[in-house]
Amino acid sequence: MYRLLNHIRMRNKMLVIYFLSVFLPIILTNVLFYNAITDNVRNQRIRDIDRTIEQIGNDFRGQVDNAVGLSSFFYADLSTNEILDRDFANAADYLEAYDSYLRRMLNNYTPLSLSLQNVTIYVDNTTLLHSGNIGYLSDELRKEKWYRQALTSAKSHPIFIRTETEDGRFEGFSLIRKLDYFSGRLKKEKLVKIDFKTIDIGEIFSNLNMQGAVYLLNPSGEIEYTTDPAVDWQAADKTLFSSLRSNDWIEFSSRYSGVSYLEGWSIVGTVDEDEVIREVQKSRDFILVSACIMMILPTFVIVVVTRSFNIRIVRILRHMKKVRSQNFEIIQASDFRDEIGQLSLEFNRMILQIKSLIDDVYKAEIQKKSLELERRKAQLNALQSQINPHFLFNALETIRMRSLLKDENETATMIHSMAKIFRSSLTWNKDMITVREELEFIVCFLEIQKYRFEDRIDYHIEVEPEAYACKIPKMLFLPFVENASIHGLEPLKHGGRIDITIRLAGRELIFMIRDNGTGMNAKQIGKLYSYLETNEVMGERIGIQNVIYRTKIIYGAGFRFSVDSAPGEGTGIELHIPQTPEPCETDI
């Protein structure tokens, strides 16, 4: 595969990359995107219509529930039922009872507040005045269809029915309920008939979110109400909904169950398939436009970029072929910043160097290298002729032994300490040492200082046992001890004291040194803090600046450094070194 690609021209490779990495993925992505968004739009539209049908069903049931609640009041109100059941001697007695109770009850539940057309209580009582929402349950009334339907319902259950005129056409919707709750003690037959406003029901069914027809079906599947203008739902001969079904419809239904007064009734919505497809077509047009834009712009960019690649690479190749025939011609207009421009620039530099080498630089460079080689040899010989440090160590050891032979033990101890410090300062192949090893250097240095100043310098070292085996950079703490001794205590006439504490706190090794010497002013403290910001190192000296610089390189932001000092009050320095302690010994 790779061998085959190596034989294809750059321009053709770019075309392959374009078709495989741009053109085909865009086409495939848009096809998948179109299918996905089409399904999503269609499903979303169906969900919206389904929620609309559910909302219509809930609103319609709310209207019916209002009427059921009103009927329940009359059904369970004992005072109303007793008044309607009483035989009045004259009309004045009835009017007094009506004005004292019935009028107030009926006005409190006015049909207007419940969006109802009319509320009438029919009673088989001839002593009542049949007006003001009170009607006589006559034999003619018992022949009405709606009354016969009321007799078919179970005891106390309201029923929702369609009322009709004498010729069978639609008159309205009503809720009928027999008032027989107190039938054991009250003898007269009573029922309440609540008529709905057809216009209010029409407003519920004419939902603006529904772009199709809505049908109200009775338990037999017959159309009792619809917004479909092609159906004469008010006619005496009712139309079965099943006779209208079409394959071009998408049907949505909400059926009432568990509600006795609407048991078997349902609300059905139908939407043409074209209505749903129309939303999908809007998405399709958007996808096509976006696909064209995504095809044209990348194609234009790729053509421009590949042309820039191809032309300049061909130019470089042409100049390389000229070099083969000893024509050292440089490439014009090679000051571009991309990789091909840099390649052209390097090619020109190479051509110029080749020409220069061919002319005279080659021989001169050979001579220069020879001289440099001789100089290096001279330096090596000079280094080899220097005094071997082991000679110094042996000389110090000889002096120490002679001091011991003369019982000058204190002098021998100081020479031994000086030799240890000198040997450590010349041995840098071991960069990391333990705290224990560093303390040996510190003790040697402090003993030498005590030897110099006798009782003017005293010191105390306190180390947590867990800290002895922790690793630190070599000569990390010693410069701070040296600084405290030389700059802090030496100027004092009566000397002073150095306290050193080393402990572990979590994952940090904390080194604290405090002296009661001359202290530092704000400028000197600021200079120490400035070492944290600078990246300069002062030669090969092992001073505080170099220690801070070296520690920053090793630990980065994990290293922290603080100074507490004032003139005449001594100096305290605290170092925080990131540390993962190893198993350590417990004694020094």
Side-chain angles (χ1 to χ4, degrees):
M1 180 65 180
Y2 292 107
R3 290 179 177 272
L4 178 61
L5 289 175
N6 291 337
H7 293 287
I8 300 176
R9 296 185 62 186
M10 180 67 70
R11 181 179 179 182
N12 295 334
K13 288 180 182 178
M14 293 296 181
L15 291 175
V16 171
I17 293 174
Y18 168 72
F19 280 104
L20 295 182
S21 302
V22 178
F23 185 80
L24 290 180
I26 289 178
I27 295 297
L28 182 61
T29 301
N30 279 279
V31 169
L32 296 176
F33 181 66
Y34 173 74
N35 291 332
I37 199 171
T38 297
D39 292 340
N40 290 338
V41 170
R42 187 178 188 278
N43 293 336
Q44 182 62 43
R45 181 59 180 157
I46 289 175
R47 286 194 295 269
D48 291 342
I49 297 174
D50 194 52
R51 283 194 293 266
T52 300
I53 293 298
E54 184 179 356
Q55 179 185 352
I56 292 174
N58 292 336
D59 292 345
F60 177 71
R61 179 178 173 178
Q63 286 276 31
V64 178
D65 286 346
N66 288 337
V68 171
L70 180 58
S71 69
S72 297
F73 169 78
F74 293 121
Y75 177 78
D77 185 55
L78 177 60
S79 298
T80 299
N81 281 270
E82 285 181 341
I83 293 174
L84 296 176
D85 201 80
R86 188 189 312 167
D87 290 326
F88 292 94
N90 51 60
D93 293 340
Y94 169 72
L95 288 175
E96 182 180 356
Y98 181 85
D99 290 336
S100 63
Y101 187 79
L102 287 183
R103 184 188 300 277
R104 178 166 48 87
M105 290 298 101
L106 292 171
N107 288 339
N108 286 343
Y109 293 93
T110 173
L112 293 178
S113 63
L114 298 173
S115 299
L116 301 175
Q117 183 72 28
N118 190 30
V119 178
T120 305
I121 300 176
Y122 292 96
V123 186
D124 185 14
N125 187 346
T126 57
T127 64
L128 306 180
L129 295 179
H130 301 110
S131 62
N133 302 103
I134 304 298
Y136 176 56
L137 189 58
S138 62
D139 292 338
E140 290 78 9
L141 193 65
R142 288 188 174 93
K143 295 178 182 179
E144 294 285 343
K145 183 178 180 180
W146 62 264
Y147 176 80
R148 295 196 303 272
Q149 288 176 310
L151 292 178
T152 61
S153 70
K155 181 179 180 180
S156 77
H157 286 181
I159 62 170
F160 178 80
I161 62 172
R162 162 177 157 162
T163 59
E164 300 172 348
T165 60
E166 293 182 359
D167 57 356
R169 290 188 64 81
F170 172 80
E171 183 178 19
F173 292 106
S174 301
L175 184 82
I176 313 297
R177 186 169 190 173
K178 292 185 290 185
L179 305 181
D180 55 359
Y181 184 73
F182 304 101
S183 58
R185 53 189 292 188
L186 302 177
K187 304 303 181 182
K188 291 184 171 53
E189 181 182 2
K190 297 177 287 294
L191 61 84
V192 60
K193 179 173 178 286
I194 303 174
D195 300 325
F196 295 88
K197 290 182 179 180
T198 306
I199 188 172
D200 289 345
I201 295 177
E203 289 180 357
I204 294 175
F205 280 77
S206 299
N207 193 300
L208 296 178
N209 294 325
M210 185 64 189
Q211 303 298 323
V214 182
Y215 302 85
L216 175 63
L217 308 183
N218 62 25
S220 301
E222 297 171 333
I223 300 174
E224 297 287 3
Y225 183 89
T226 181
T227 59
D228 187 356
V231 178
D232 185 10
W233 55 274
Q234 298 185 9
D237 297 329
K238 297 178 182 178
T239 304
L240 285 172
F241 176 75
S242 57
S243 64
L244 302 178
R245 281 195 171 96
S246 171
N247 293 330
D248 297 332
W249 283 355
I250 299 178
E251 187 175 312
F252 306 85
S253 64
S254 176
R255 188 176 184 84
Y256 296 104
S257 59
V259 183
S260 60
Y261 47 87
L262 287 176
E263 187 69 37
W265 288 74
S266 61
I267 294 177
V268 177
T270 61
V271 178
D272 288 340
E273 184 74 24
D274 295 339
E275 177 64 28
V276 178
I277 294 176
R278 190 176 298 114
E279 296 293 331
V280 175
Q281 288 174 342
K282 294 180 182 177
S283 302
R284 181 193 63 187
D285 296 340
F286 170 76
I287 293 174
L288 290 176
V289 172
S290 61
C292 291
I293 294 175
M294 287 188 290
M295 287 291 296
I296 293 173
L297 288 180
T299 301
F300 175 77
V301 172
I302 289 175
V303 168
V304 173
V305 174
T306 53
R307 176 178 171 80
S308 173
F309 286 165
N310 187 64
I311 290 177
R312 291 189 292 157
I313 288 177
V314 170
R315 182 189 304 158
I316 294 174
L317 180 60
R318 186 169 60 250
H319 280 76
M320 283 182 166
K321 290 180 179 180
K322 291 181 179 180
V323 173
R324 187 170 54 187
S325 60
Q326 312 247 335
N327 183 2
F328 300 105
E329 181 183 347
I330 65 172
I331 301 174
Q332 301 298 329
S334 60
D335 55 343
F336 299 106
R337 297 183 180 179
D338 62 352
E339 289 78 2
I340 298 179
Q342 294 178 12
L343 181 62
S344 301
L345 186 62
E346 293 300 323
F347 175 83
N348 290 344
R349 185 178 291 113
M350 181 186 67
I351 291 296
L352 295 175
Q353 287 179 348
I354 291 175
K355 290 177 65 177
S356 178
L357 286 172
I358 290 176
D359 294 337
D360 55 357
V361 175
Y362 182 74
K363 293 180 180 179
E365 189 68 23
I366 290 178
Q367 294 176 355
K368 183 178 179 182
K369 292 295 182 182
S370 299
L371 293 174
E372 180 69 19
L373 205 58
E374 293 297 327
R375 189 175 66 84
R376 294 290 183 184
K377 287 181 180 179
Q379 288 179 346
L380 181 59
N381 293 332
L383 289 173
Q384 290 175 347
S385 65
Q386 290 179 352
I387 297 176
N388 194 325
H390 291 288
F391 170 76
L392 296 178
F393 300 148
N394 293 334
L396 288 174
E397 183 63 19
T398 300
I399 297 172
R400 189 177 74 87
M401 295 302 296
R402 294 292 298 272
S403 298
L404 289 174
L405 291 175
K406 294 180 179 181
D407 294 327
E408 296 176 353
N409 295 330
E410 189 175 5
T411 302
T413 302
M414 292 303 101
I415 293 173
H416 179 66
S417 298
M418 184 178 296
K420 287 180 65 175
I421 295 176
F422 184 50
R423 184 183 298 273
S424 175
S425 65
L426 293 177
T427 307
W428 286 97
N429 58 343
K430 186 179 180 183
D431 293 332
M432 302 296 288
I433 62 174
T434 63
V435 171
R436 183 187 301 278
E437 293 172 319
E438 180 78 2
L439 286 174
E440 291 179 0
F441 305 146
I442 292 175
V443 170
C444 289
F445 175 81
L446 291 174
E447 288 297 324
I448 293 173
Q449 292 299 94
K450 289 192 68 173
Y451 179 75
R452 288 178 60 198
F453 301 103
E454 297 181 349
D455 296 333
R456 289 177 57 197
I457 292 181
D458 191 15
Y459 68 89
H460 174 72
I461 301 176
E462 181 180 346
V463 185
E464 285 187 353
E466 293 81 1
Y468 280 112
C470 295
K471 295 287 188 178
I472 60 172
K474 186 177 181 181
M475 297 293 184
L476 176 61
F477 299 152
L478 183 58
F480 293 96
V481 178
E482 179 185 0
N483 198 67
S485 175
I486 296 175
H487 300 290
L489 301 185
E490 280 190 20
L492 299 178
K493 293 181 179 181
H494 303 290
R497 177 184 174 90
I498 296 176
D499 292 300
I500 298 173
T501 304
I502 303 176
R503 61 186 177 88
L504 274 173
R507 299 176 64 88
E508 284 189 331
L509 179 68
I510 301 177
F511 169 80
M512 294 180 289
I513 179 171
R514 175 166 286 280
D515 65 75
N516 57 353
T518 58
M520 293 186 292
N521 56 36
K523 183 178 180 180
Q524 291 172 316
I525 296 174
K527 185 176 181 180
L528 285 181
Y529 279 122
S530 69
Y531 294 159
L532 289 172
E533 307 298 330
T534 182
N535 290 326
E536 296 180 0
V537 59
M538 300 299 294
E540 298 178 355
R541 295 171 52 200
I542 309 176
I544 290 180
Q545 181 177 1
N546 284 1
V547 169
I548 294 175
Y549 174 74
R550 186 158 55 102
T551 310
K552 282 198 306 178
I553 291 177
I554 297 173
Y555 298 108
F559 166 67
R560 290 183 289 139
F561 167 74
S562 62
V563 181
D564 178 19
S565 182
E569 297 182 5
T571 301
I573 293 179
E574 185 172 315
L575 304 180
H576 291 252
I577 310 297
Q579 187 71 206
T580 303
E582 301 175 357
C584 44
E585 305 170 18
T586 59
D587 59 348
I588 184 169

